[in-house]
Every structure is written in structure tokens, then in C-alpha cells.
């Protein structure tokens, strides 16, 4: 087992996207029994814990982030017995389990929302959500100017004339966190899963639960928050990062603290600057918050050094470790993202007509980036498939797209399906071993055979073996608990020490020298013949 004391400070946590990890029954949709059957592979990889994206009852209008019942497993994924078996198997393998909690909104098929629709304006049923009368003479204008993160207005009108708020899809009505009934219900949901033995919760849209009391107008794009930066001249967004969210997490922390073991809360909060994000991980609130600022930082020595300093520094002021991440189910996989050299932001998905990434360059940089990340002190999250060097599916035909972003943006954004494609396990099996049948809810590119686990396991130099070696060394050397000190290097080289380990990345054309007398332990690509570090390569040496 990982160290029982504050295991999360140094943990490597592997994100499982249940739809796309492993399919046990051949319906093309990943499921809990599939996950259970593959947990030993994650043990072999060497991670400490898994986080599962939502598997609860849901009409799946946002791939399960629209929850209809927080205490029921969606039949596509299995049932509660399957969840119990998955948790038990993880425990027997020494892996911890984090589940997803979606408190900002429910599905429109949740019994509360159905009751709200059936009830009259002003009723207690409507008080659980954000219902308002419209503006204009006949109330036909939305109550304010807010936009949905997925595109279009954030308000939907009902036949009786009232409007409800949905910061995401129209099928995801926002809850009213000013209502004590909502608070009580979520404490009960936390307890339900804690009692089943989970080690923690990844909290969806953790910065969004409380809205400005006046619901003040805000004209800027709803997706602005994904950029994390308020546009110049704009007042702070009235829907994100309001002071009132913190008391909710303080209450949840008390709930978790009353359980034995070390149960954790991790914030999905697209909040900048780092000092604001650090407030989510104060000692009496959450344990971790994803460092998205690091994820979106362009590939370069200077920007990376700055972001590492800035974010670790901000967290240090509240005694929290940093939580590194390079990929997840919402952004372009880093093996593709880093394959662009135009200096633009490439976190959003792309289609066949868009400029395509340089795949070999992307993979080379992704390996260097991951090796750098795993050498940093703190915790790190991996997204399923990155250990295979898996790229984004950047040429998916539009007919397959399911992300609501595609429709709601009027097809101007293709959305996030490209990072959600079922992953390859066996090169020569149907659906590349994702399931027993040749079925996969999103199409897998033919070229993915070469990324399959069975083509990489035991092959020196494969991306999989690079991750496995890095995770082993990281554990042996307690890198997660270490401290970082920078080395003086040329401008295009980034190098730091974590304990005895030297981590060096070269971003420049000229091969970089390693300090005299060090021994190379791991390298994201072969070194030059005379032992120097080529461009876009990270080395671990001691
Ligand atoms: C963040 C999740 O990661 C994303 O997939 C989802 O669409 C939104 N929150 C809304 O729940
Ligand atoms: Mg299935």
C-alpha cells in the first residue's frame, strides 16, 4: 500500500475514462467489470491511485457529467455490485480509488429537476435550481447575458415563462447552492460513496457552485474560464470563483476527516492566478487542485520554469503540494498538442480540415514533458493512454461526434471527442482489445495498433516502459516528497534537482551538456554519441 500518511501529497493518480478504458461485454462502451479486469495492468504500470470519471445513472448528454441519480450506476457501466467489486479489487492491489462528484448541476432527468418542472414558479421544488423570470416586457429576454461554456445562451425558457440557468448544456441545470437542502443532499452523497470505501472525490467545476447574488450581467464568452483568464477590461466573472464556494469545501473536509484513512478532495477549478487557486487547498479545504496553468503552458524553458515556480510557490504559502497534469478528457492529448510549433493555444479538439500536428514531434515532446512532470515534487495525474504515447484522434468524421460543444457552438468547435476514443490494448484483436467485439463508441484510428500495450510492454525505449521506469524511480527516490532547486543553465535548457536526482530538458537546437560525473538513469530519447542531450529530450541523472 502507498504510505498511509498523506499519501496524496506525492501520489501518481491515473484517470480512467470509463466509457473508453475497457469493455467487458462487447457493446462498444467501456464498463466497470472491464475496469476491474484491467486494474492489475495499472498496478504493473506503477500508479498509486485511479480517478474514474462519472459512471452514475445519466442520459449521457455530456458523457455522464449530467447525473440523473448520484447513488445508482448507469446500466451501461454495470451496477452497484460492480462498483463494489471494482473498489475491492483496487484495494487488494494496493490502489486507491477516487470517484467524480458533479455538484454544480444535475441532469434534467434528475428527479429534483423533474419535480421542479412540474411545480409552479416560486415553489420549493424550483428553489433547488436557479429559476428566474425573464427580462423585457413579456419576460422573453433571458434574465442576464451569461453564456454557456459549451456555446449559446446559459438560460432556457419553460412554457410557463420562467427561465433556468445552465452554465453547460441545456440538459445540465445549475443547482442553487444557497439552498440548505442542496447542501445536505451532497453531504449525504459524499457519505454514500465514503461508506462504500472510496478514497476521495474529484470535484467537477469546483469554482462554479456559488453565483454572484445579483446574477450581474457578464458579456464575455462562457468558455472564457477554460482559458482561466478574464479578458482585458472585463470585471471578474460573476459565475466563477466566488468567495462562497469555500465554506462548502470546509464543510466537506469535516465530513471526510470523520472517516478513517486519508480521504481526499481534488478541485477541478479553472482559476487564475495561482494565488486564487491556492485558496482551494488551504489546510481546512480541499487537498489538491489540478494545476491547469501548467497544462496550458507553451513548450519552452522560460515559460515552464516560471509556471513551476509560480504555482508551487502559491501552494507552498498554504502548505499544499502541487498537482501536475498534462492531459485529461477535456483537452487535446499532449502528444498532439505539443506537435504544434505556431505558438497558438491548442487545447481544443480539431477536425480533418484543421492544420494537423507534427505527430513525431508531438510524441517526442510529450515523452520529454511527461518525464519532466514525473520528476517534479508533488502529485501528478495521468490520463489513460498517455502512457502509450497515444495521440488525439484529429481526423474523426463529424458524424461520430457526441460532445455537446459541437452542436452548441454551431460546429465552430469540434469539441472533446478526439481525446476520448477507446484505448488500444492488443494490436491484433478486435477493437484493439478494448473489448471482446469489434465495437467502440467512437472510432479508433487504424494507426493505433502500433500504440497498443502489447506492442510496447517489455520493449526498451517504448513510451510505456519509459513511464513504468519513471514511476518506479519516482517511488524509490520519493520524488513526490522532494524539494526542487534550479540549476544555472543556458537559456534553452531547464534543469532542476529533486534530492539527488537531476532532471534536465533541452528545448534548444544545440545539444546540452550534462554536469560532469553524473550517471544517466533515464532518458526520453537516446542521447548523442558523446553523451549530450538533444533537443526536446528530458534526462534523469544522478
Ligand atoms: C468538467 C468536466 O471535466 C467536463 O467533461 C464537463 O463537460 C464539465 N465539467 C461539465 O460537467
Ligand atoms: Mg460495455
Amino acid at each position: 500500500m502507498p504510505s498511509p500518511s498523506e499519501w496524496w501529497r506525492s501520489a501518481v493518480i491515473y484517470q480512467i475514462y470509463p466509457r473508453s478504458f475497457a469493455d467487458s461485454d462487447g457493446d462498444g462502451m467501456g464498463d466497470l467489470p472491464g475496469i476491474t479486469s484491467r486494474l492489475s495492468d495499472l498496478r504493473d504500470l506503477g500508479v498509486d491511485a485511479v480517478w474514474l470519471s462519472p459512471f452514475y445513472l445519466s442520459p449521457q448528454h455530456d458523457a455522464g457529467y449530467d447525473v440523473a441519480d448520484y447513488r445508482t450506476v448507469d446500466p451501461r457501466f454495470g451496477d452497484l455490485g460492480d462498483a463494489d467489486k471494482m473498489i475491492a479489487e483496487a484495494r487488494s492491489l494496493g490502489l486507491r480509488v477516487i470517484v467524480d462528484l458533479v455538484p454544480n448541476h444535475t441532469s434534467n432527468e434528475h428527479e429534483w429537476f423533474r419535480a421542479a418542472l412540474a411545480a409552479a414558479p416560486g415553489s420549493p421544488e424550483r428553489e433547488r435550481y436557479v429559476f428566474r423570470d425573464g427580462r423585457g416586457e413579456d419576460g422573453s429576454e433571458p434574465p442576464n447575458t451569461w453564456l454557456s461554456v459549451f456555446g449559446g445562451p446559459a438560460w432556457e425558457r419553460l412554457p410557463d415563462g420562467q427561465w433556468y440557468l445552465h452554465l453547460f448544456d441545456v440538459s445540465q441545470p445549475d443547482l442553487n447552492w444557497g439552498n440548505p437542502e442542496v447542501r445536505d443532499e451532497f453531504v449525504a452523497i459524499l457519505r454514500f460513496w465514503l461508506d462504500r470505501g472510496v478514497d476521495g472525490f474529484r470535484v467537477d467545476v469546483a469554482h462554479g457552485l456559488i453565483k454572484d447574488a445579483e446574477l450581474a450581467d457578464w458579456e464575455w464568452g462562457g468558455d472564457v474560464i477554460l482559458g482561466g483568464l478574464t479578458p482585458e477590461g472585463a470585471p471578474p466573472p460573476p459565475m466563477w470563483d466566488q468567495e462562497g464556494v469555500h465554506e462548502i469545501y470546509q464543510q466537506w473536509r469535516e465530513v471526510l476527516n470523520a472517516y478513517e484513512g486519508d480521504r481526499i478532495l481534488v478541485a477541478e477549478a479553472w482559476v487564475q492566478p495561482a494565488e486564487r487557486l491556492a485558496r482551494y487547498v488551504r489546510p481546512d479545504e480541499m487537498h489538491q487542485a489540478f494545476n491547469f496553468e501548467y497544462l496550458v503552458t507553451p513548450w519552452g524553458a522560460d515559460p515552464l520554469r516560471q509556471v513551476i515556480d509560480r504555482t508551487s510557490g502559491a501552494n507552498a504559502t498554504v502548505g499544499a503540494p502541487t498537482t501536475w497534469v498534462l492531459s485529461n478528457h477535456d483537452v487535446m492529448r499532449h502528444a498532439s498538442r505539443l506537435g504544434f510549433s505556431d505558438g497558438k493555444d491548442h487545447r481544443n479538439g480539431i477536425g480533418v480540415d484543421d492544420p494537423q500536428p507534427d505527430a513525431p514531434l508531438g510524441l517526442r515532446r510529450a515523452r520529454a514533458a511527461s518525464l519532466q512532470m514525473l520528476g517534479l515534487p508533488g502529485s501528478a495525474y495521468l490520463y489513460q493512454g498517455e502512457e502509450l504515447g497515444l495521440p488525439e484522434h484529429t481526423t474523426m468524421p463529424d458524424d461520430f461526434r457526441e460532445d455537446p460543444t459541437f452542436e452548441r457552438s454551431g460546429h465552430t468547435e469540434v469539441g472533446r471527442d478526439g481525446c476520448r476514443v477507446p484505448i488500444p490494448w492488443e494490436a491484433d484483436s478486435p477493437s484493439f482489445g478494448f473489448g471482446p467485439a469489434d465495437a467502440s463508441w467512437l472510432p479508433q484510428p487504424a494507426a493505433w495498433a502500433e500504440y497498443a500495450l502489447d506492442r510496447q510492454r517489455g520493449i526498451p525505449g517504448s513510451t510505456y516502459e519509459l513511464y513504468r521506469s519513471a514511476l518506479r524511480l519516482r517511488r524509490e527516490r520519493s520524488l513526490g516528497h522532494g524539494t526542487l532547486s534550479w540549476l544555472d543553465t543556458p537559456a534553452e535548457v531547464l534543469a532542476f534537482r529533486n534530492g539527488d536526482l537531476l532532471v534536465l530538458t533541452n528545448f534548444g537546437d544545440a545539444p546540452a551538456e550534462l554536469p560532469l560525473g553524473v550517471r544517466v538513469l533515464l532518458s526520453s530519447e537516446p542521447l548523442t554519441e558523446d553523451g549530450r542531450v538533444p533537443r526536446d529530450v528530458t534526462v534523469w541523472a544522478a
Side-chain angles (χ1 to χ4, degrees):
M1 283 294 277
S3 148
S5 130
E6 305 209 312
W7 61 276
W8 45 273
R9 287 184 175 269
S10 60
V12 175
I13 302 175
Y14 183 99
Q15 180 187 358
I16 292 177
Y17 195 62
R19 306 177 133 242
S20 303
F21 186 68
D23 175 21
S24 71
D25 56 5
D27 66 352
M29 178 66 65
D31 44 47
L32 292 175
I35 293 170
T36 305
S37 73
R38 290 288 191 183
L39 285 175
S40 60
D41 289 297
L42 300 182
R43 168 82 276 182
D44 290 348
L45 175 62
V47 300
D48 302 301
V50 293
W51 148 40
L52 281 78
S53 281
F55 49 78
Y56 318 109
L57 187 72
S58 162
Q60 306 284 329
H61 293 305
D62 185 22
Y65 283 94
D66 49 326
V67 181
D69 184 343
Y70 293 84
R71 296 177 180 81
T72 302
V73 172
D74 193 286
R76 293 170 183 85
F77 301 127
D79 58 23
L80 274 179
D82 295 322
D84 290 341
K85 282 186 206 143
M86 183 270 298
I87 295 167
E89 172 72 359
R91 165 144 322 145
S92 77
L93 290 166
L95 293 169
R96 298 183 190 256
V97 178
I98 294 173
V99 294
D100 219 305
L101 187 74
V102 188
N104 180 67
H105 44 265
T106 69
S107 159
N108 58 349
E109 294 187 16
H110 191 281
E111 63 171 16
W112 274 7
F113 196 70
R114 291 178 192 271
L117 291 186
S123 59
E125 286 83 357
R126 291 209 173 174
E127 271 306 298
R128 293 165 175 152
Y129 293 90
V130 186
F131 282 91
R132 291 288 185 281
D133 292 329
R135 298 206 278 213
E137 252 173 51
D138 51 359
S140 63
E141 301 290 318
N144 71 20
T145 55
W146 294 4
L147 297 171
S148 153
V149 171
F150 295 156
W155 295 91
E156 179 74 3
R157 196 173 196 197
L158 300 178
D160 64 27
Q162 273 211 315
W163 298 74
Y164 70 86
L165 176 69
H166 60 90
L167 289 177
F168 293 89
D169 190 51
V170 64
S171 64
Q172 293 166 298
D174 280 57
L175 285 162
N176 169 18
W177 275 86
N179 183 340
E181 207 188 339
V182 171
R183 295 189 184 225
D184 292 348
E185 173 63 2
F186 274 85
V187 166
I189 294 166
L190 287 174
R191 292 209 169 103
F192 178 85
W193 288 102
L194 290 167
D195 289 340
R196 298 196 101 84
V198 304
D199 296 286
F201 303 88
R202 175 269 189 188
V203 180
D204 190 61
V205 200
H207 56 314
L209 275 47
I210 299 290
K211 281 78 181 174
D212 160 61
E214 311 298 325
L215 298 184
D217 276 345
W218 207 70
E219 281 75 33
W220 293 270
D223 61 343
V224 148
I225 196 61
L226 297 177
L229 282 177
T230 306
E232 224 175 299
M239 66 291 275
W240 308 124
D241 195 30
Q242 302 293 300
E243 189 56 33
V245 295
H246 295 289
E247 67 178 26
I248 298 171
Y249 305 131
Q250 287 158 3
Q251 186 194 7
W252 292 5
R253 179 68 176 249
E254 282 176 20
V255 172
L256 267 65
N257 283 350
Y259 279 79
E260 66 177 82
D262 210 359
R263 322 270 182 128
I264 70 162
L265 296 166
V266 50
E268 189 234 7
W270 290 83
V271 168
Q272 277 190 7
E275 290 69 33
R276 290 296 297 186
L277 185 63
R279 304 176 81 238
Y280 288 76
V281 288
R282 288 177 288 190
D284 61 345
E285 292 192 37
M286 301 215 190
H287 302 74
Q288 302 183 319
F290 293 108
N291 187 343
F292 292 128
E293 212 177 319
Y294 176 71
L295 183 152
V296 301
T297 297
W299 184 242
D302 197 44
L304 281 166
R305 179 178 171 141
Q306 284 186 32
V307 75
I308 291 168
D309 266 345
R310 191 167 60 240
T311 56
S312 340
N315 276 18
T317 63
V318 295
T322 313
T323 302
W324 311 104
V325 59
L326 287 167
S327 280
N328 65 32
H329 65 294
D330 289 331
V331 295
M332 184 182 291
R333 285 181 173 276
H334 65 288
S336 298
R337 205 171 66 228
L338 297 174
F340 289 95
S341 303
D342 56 7
K344 293 192 188 139
D345 181 346
H346 284 283
R347 97 192 62 156
N348 289 347
I350 57 172
V352 66
D353 297 330
D354 293 310
Q356 296 290 309
D358 174 338
L361 178 68
L363 180 57
R364 180 180 176 91
R365 288 181 175 169
R367 290 163 55 109
S370 299
L371 201 53
Q372 179 185 83
M373 172 176 84
L374 292 172
L376 288 164
S379 171
Y381 279 71
L382 308 180
Y383 177 48
Q384 65 177 41
E386 69 167 84
E387 76 282 16
L388 305 174
L390 208 62
E392 182 90 355
H393 190 339
T394 54
T395 56
M396 188 184 297
D398 286 346
D399 300 352
F400 290 99
R401 299 199 184 282
E402 292 203 12
D403 182 353
T405 308
F406 184 51
E407 289 305 324
R408 289 197 62 88
S409 69
H411 300 180
T412 57
E413 286 292 339
V414 301
R416 301 162 292 176
D417 295 303
C419 61
R420 299 176 173 181
V421 175
I423 62 172
W425 296 89
E426 296 153 14
D428 300 319
S429 301
S431 67
F432 299 133
F434 164 60
D438 198 9
S440 148
W441 71 280
L442 286 173
Q444 300 167 299
W448 279 20
E450 66 181 275
Y451 296 93
L453 176 61
D454 69 350
R455 287 273 171 94
Q456 299 197 40
R457 188 176 258 160
I459 305 295
S462 70
T463 304
Y464 174 79
E465 292 299 340
L466 178 70
Y467 270 74
R468 216 160 78 92
S469 302
L471 292 173
R472 181 173 41 77
L473 285 170
R474 187 182 152 90
R475 189 180 291 238
E476 282 169 13
R477 295 177 164 261
S478 296
L479 298 182
H481 287 295
T483 40
L484 174 149
S485 54
W486 296 110
L487 263 67
D488 256 341
T489 45
E492 293 190 301
V493 174
L494 190 71
F496 59 85
R497 278 191 196 286
N498 179 352
D500 294 339
L501 186 77
L502 166 72
V503 178
L504 183 146
T505 309
N506 183 11
F507 298 84
D509 275 332
E513 307 277 351
L514 286 168
L516 277 182
V518 297
R519 189 168 58 95
V520 173
L521 304 179
L522 202 57
S523 168
S524 65
E525 301 288 341
L527 302 189
T528 61
E529 265 172 27
D530 59 357
R532 290 181 299 160
V533 184
R535 184 178 195 140
D536 296 327
V537 172
T538 296
V539 165
W540 285 12

